[in-house]
C-alpha cells in the first residue's frame, strides 16, 4: 500500500530556479538516455530536480522500469513524488549517474555542494563508469573558485582544529555554513557541519590534500572524474 499523504506530493523546489529554460532543455536531453532496467545515480540540485520530473513522465507514460539511487533526502522524495522506484546504494551499483555542478573548468573539474549533498554525490559518481553533468551556461569558469567557495564536510568538533591546516593549504576565507529557516549551522544528512572555504589557488592535488586532514569527511572538489557535460545546445 502507498501512503496517501500529500506532504511529498505537494513538494516543490523552494526558490525560483535560475536559468530555468536552459535547465529544462538539458533535462530533456538526459531523459532520452534512460533505458529499461538502468540503475541510475540521481544527483541533487534544481537541474537534477527538473530531470527527475522529466524521467517520472517517461516512467508513467512508458511503464519504464528503472532504479534510482538518490544522493539526498530531497532527491529521494522527488523520486517518490514522480513514481520512480528507488534502491539502496548498499544493494545497487549505478550503471551511470547524472548530476549538476556549481563550477566547471576547461579540464572538466568541478566544484559541487551548494546544496550540501557532495559526499553522497561523490560516492555514487565514484562507483559509476560515467556521469552526465547537467550544466547551464552560468556554470563554466576559467578557474575553479571564481564564483563558489569549496564546501568541506567536517565533524562538528573539528571546526577549530581545522582552521590552521586549511590556512596552510592556502585558504583565504573560511566560514561555517549557517542555516536558513534553522538557527545555527547547517547539519548535513550525515550529521556534520560544512565549512565554505575560498582558496587563493586550487591546484590539482587540493581535493586529496583537504581530505587528508583529520576531521574532514570529503569536499566539493571533483577532479578528473569520468564525466560528460550536457549543455542546453
Ligand atoms: C548539490 C549540488 C548541485 O548539483 C549543484 O549545486 C548544482 O545545483 P543547481 O542544479 O541547482 O544549479 O552540488 O550539492
Amino acid at each position: 500500500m502507498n501512503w496517501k499523504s500529500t506532504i511529498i506530493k505537494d513538494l516543490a523546489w523552494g526558490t525560483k530556479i535560475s536559468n530555468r529554460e536552459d535547465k529544462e532543455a538539458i533535462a530533456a536531453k538526459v531523459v532520452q538516455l534512460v533505458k529499461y532496467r538502468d540503475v541510475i545515480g540521481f544527483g541533487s540540485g534544481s537541474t537534477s530536480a527538473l530531470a527527475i520530473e522529466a524521467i517520472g513522465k517517461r516512467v508513467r507514460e512508458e511503464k519504464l522500469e528503472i532504479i534510482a539511487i538518490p544522493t539526498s533526502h530531497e532527491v529521494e522524495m522527488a523520486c517518490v513524488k514522480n513514481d520512480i522506484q528507488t534502491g539502496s546504494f548498499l544493494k545497487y551499483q549505478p550503471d551511470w549517474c547524472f548530476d549538476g555542478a556549481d563550477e566547471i573548468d576547461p579540464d572538466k573539474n568541478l566544484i559541487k555542494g551548494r546544496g550540501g549533498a557532495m559526499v553522497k554525490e561523490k560516492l555514487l559518481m565514484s562507483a559509476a563508469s560515467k556521469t552526465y553533468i547537467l550544466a547551464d551556461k552560468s556554470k563554466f569558469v576559467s578557474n575553479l573558485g571564481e564564483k563558489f567557495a569549496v564546501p568541506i564536510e567536517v565533524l562538528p568538533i573539528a571546526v577549530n582544529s581545522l582552521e590552521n591546516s586549511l590556512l596552510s593549504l592556502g585558504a583565504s576565507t573560511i566560514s561555517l555554513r549557517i542555516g536558513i529557516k534553522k538557527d545555527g549551522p547547517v547539519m548535513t544528512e550525515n550529521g556534520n557541519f560544512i565549512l565554505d572555504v575560498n582558496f587563493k589557488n586550487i591546484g590539482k592535488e587540493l581535493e586529496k590534500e583537504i581530505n587528508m586532514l583529520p576531521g574532514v569527511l570529503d569536499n566539493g572538489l571533483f577532479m578528473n572524474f569520468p564525466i560528460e557535460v550536457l549543455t542546453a545546445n
Side-chain angles (χ1 to χ4, degrees), residues 13 17-18 23 43-49 74 99-103 111-119 121 134 136 138-139 148 177 222:
W13 193 255
I17 295 182
S18 59
K23 288 178 177 176
S44 302
S46 62
T47 322
S48 293
E74 153 212 335
D99 207 338
D102 301 313
E103 290 190 356
I111 290 183
K112 290 181 48 54
R114 175 202 51 75
M118 64 278 180
V119 172
E121 290 174 333
L134 318 182
D136 67 80
S138 70
K139 307 299 173 68
F148 279 81
R177 192 176 291 189
F222 287 60

Side-chain angles (χ1 to χ4, degrees), residues 172-208:
S172 50
T173 64
I174 305 174
S175 56
L176 181 62
R177 192 176 291 189
I178 299 300
I180 299 170
K181 292 204 177 179
K182 176 204 172 288
D183 295 342
V186 166
M187 303 272 327
T188 69
E189 291 183 13
N190 314 305
N192 295 314
F193 290 170
I194 294 177
L195 294 175
D196 284 305
V197 184
N198 287 107
F199 287 90
K200 289 172 211 135
N201 174 47
I202 296 182
K204 298 273 182 261
E205 297 305 312
L206 186 61
E207 176 186 13
K208 289 190 197 124

Side-chain angles (χ1 to χ4, degrees), residues 29-45:
K29 281 189 182 175
V30 77
V31 74
Q32 294 310 322
L33 303 172
V34 176
K35 299 189 308 301
Y36 185 71
R37 295 233 161 126
D38 274 354
V39 175
I40 306 169
F42 277 31
S44 302

